[in-house]
Amino acid sequence: MRVLVVEDKQSHCESAKETLSGHKLTVVKSFDEAMELMSQKIDEDNVQRLLVEAGFPTKPDSKNMERWSAYWKAHDEAEAKSVIPFPFEVVLTDMMMPMSEQMLAPGVFNPGEQVPYGFIIALKATLCGAKFVAMVTDTNHHKGAMSAAIDHLGGASYHDGFKPNFVVNGARVMFVHTPFVEDPALGVKCYNCVGGTACGYCRTPLTAEGKCPRAKGDAAHSKPCHVCNGRGTHDTTVHERKDWGKVLADLTA
């Protein structure tokens, strides 16, 4: 499928290339780039061909009002027949993105501010003719008002088999918290015993001799950490990159 991903974070752009590798993928990193791709495109060569067929090889003299009006009527009809179809079947977008400077009055633009453009991008995509659209956010719902509000559209986290929330202009659309790619992380400092510096049972800092101050009379405080088995590190997985492929699979199921 022809897929457009709108995402400003490099790690998520990379995961898009990885998880959508079987598709024809285009990635852009800003609201302005997305709007440019979604602007209506006209095949000017076809417009000229249709104008010639309508008897207007060149633009007529504006002093001849009858012919001038007929020309513009033919021109508008030719343009309507020459709209280039939207090239993407699928549009997947982030929610929060850097503020665009377009159309803003002096003093309003703040390059460091994040704006929930994802809603506009998603709805615009349905107007353009995309058939499958998803807004996918990685913002923690405890740290962002818009992310918290997304909970009301499908839950606080992504779940397997998620179904689209809406049908908009014929497109299947969903607004969701992202599922994540599971990436292996080897030799991570143990969170339970703090890398071997605390008791694996009660998390009390160890003495200089490496013993728990509370070990006397309770053997549990002397046992190796149950998470890392006393090594101080353990292997785990991290969930930091968006799994765009899972979203698309559920969106099109």
Side-chain angles (χ1 to χ4, degrees):
M1 301 181 81
R2 299 182 302 278
V3 182
L4 171 63
V5 169
V6 187
E7 172 61 64
D8 61 307
K9 294 181 181 176
Q10 184 59 33
S11 61
H12 296 327
C13 292
E14 292 172 358
S15 68
K17 296 174 184 177
E18 178 184 321
T19 62
L20 298 169
S21 60
H23 301 276
K24 187 174 182 180
L25 179 65
T26 299
V27 178
V28 297
K29 295 185 176 182
S30 71
F31 176 71
D32 290 342
E33 288 178 285
M35 290 300 100
E36 172 58 29
L37 285 177
M38 292 182 185
S39 63
Q40 189 178 77
K41 305 295 191 301
I42 302 296
D43 183 343
E44 295 296 343
D45 290 339
N46 194 56
V47 171
Q48 292 305 313
R49 182 183 64 79
L50 292 174
L51 284 173
V52 170
E53 291 179 358
F56 297 100
T58 60
K59 187 182 294 186
D61 189 335
S62 61
K63 294 179 181 179
N64 185 336
M65 291 304 299
E66 182 177 352
R67 187 159 175 77
W68 182 253
S69 297
Y71 167 80
W72 282 110
K73 180 180 179 181
H75 183 276
D76 291 345
E77 292 174 351
E79 277 202 340
K81 294 177 181 178
S82 303
V83 175
I84 299 173
F86 188 58
F88 303 102
E89 301 160 273
V90 181
V91 175
L92 307 175
T93 179
D94 187 22
M95 178 173 71
M96 304 300 293
M97 296 181 197
M99 179 183 287
S100 167
E101 194 172 3
Q102 298 295 320
M103 305 299 291
L104 297 181
V108 176
F109 176 61
N110 179 1
E113 184 173 340
Q114 293 279 309
V115 179
Y117 285 133
F119 293 97
I120 302 303
I121 293 170
L123 293 175
K124 178 69 173 179
T126 71
L127 292 175
C128 290
K131 299 304 180 185
F132 304 97
V133 178
M135 189 194 76
V136 186
T137 180
D138 67 335
T139 303
N140 188 309
H141 63 168
H142 296 300
K143 297 181 179 180
M146 292 305 299
S147 182
I150 292 292
D151 291 2
H152 297 286
L153 297 181
S157 61
Y158 199 91
H159 54 81
D160 290 341
F162 194 98
K163 300 300 181 184
N165 304 92
F166 308 100
V167 174
V168 182
N169 294 324
R172 302 180 74 184
V173 182
M174 58 190 192
F175 301 92
V176 294
H177 294 288
T178 189
F180 289 97
V181 175
E182 289 193 353
D183 290 314
L186 307 180
V188 176
K189 183 170 75 172
C190 181
Y191 66 88
N192 187 57
C193 66
V194 197
T197 64
C199 174
Y201 181 71
C202 67
R203 299 187 180 181
T204 300
L206 300 179
T207 65
E209 291 76 27
K211 299 183 180 299
C212 176
R214 303 172 64 183
K216 295 180 180 180
D218 191 342
H221 294 273
S222 299
K223 291 182 178 180
C225 171
H226 69 279
V227 174
C228 68
N229 198 30
R231 297 192 305 273
T233 62
H234 65 111
D235 299 337
T236 185
T237 56
V238 293
H239 304 81
E240 297 176 345
R241 300 188 302 138
K242 292 180 179 179
D243 191 340
W244 302 95
K246 180 182 285 292
V247 173
L248 180 56
D250 289 337
L251 191 59
T252 57

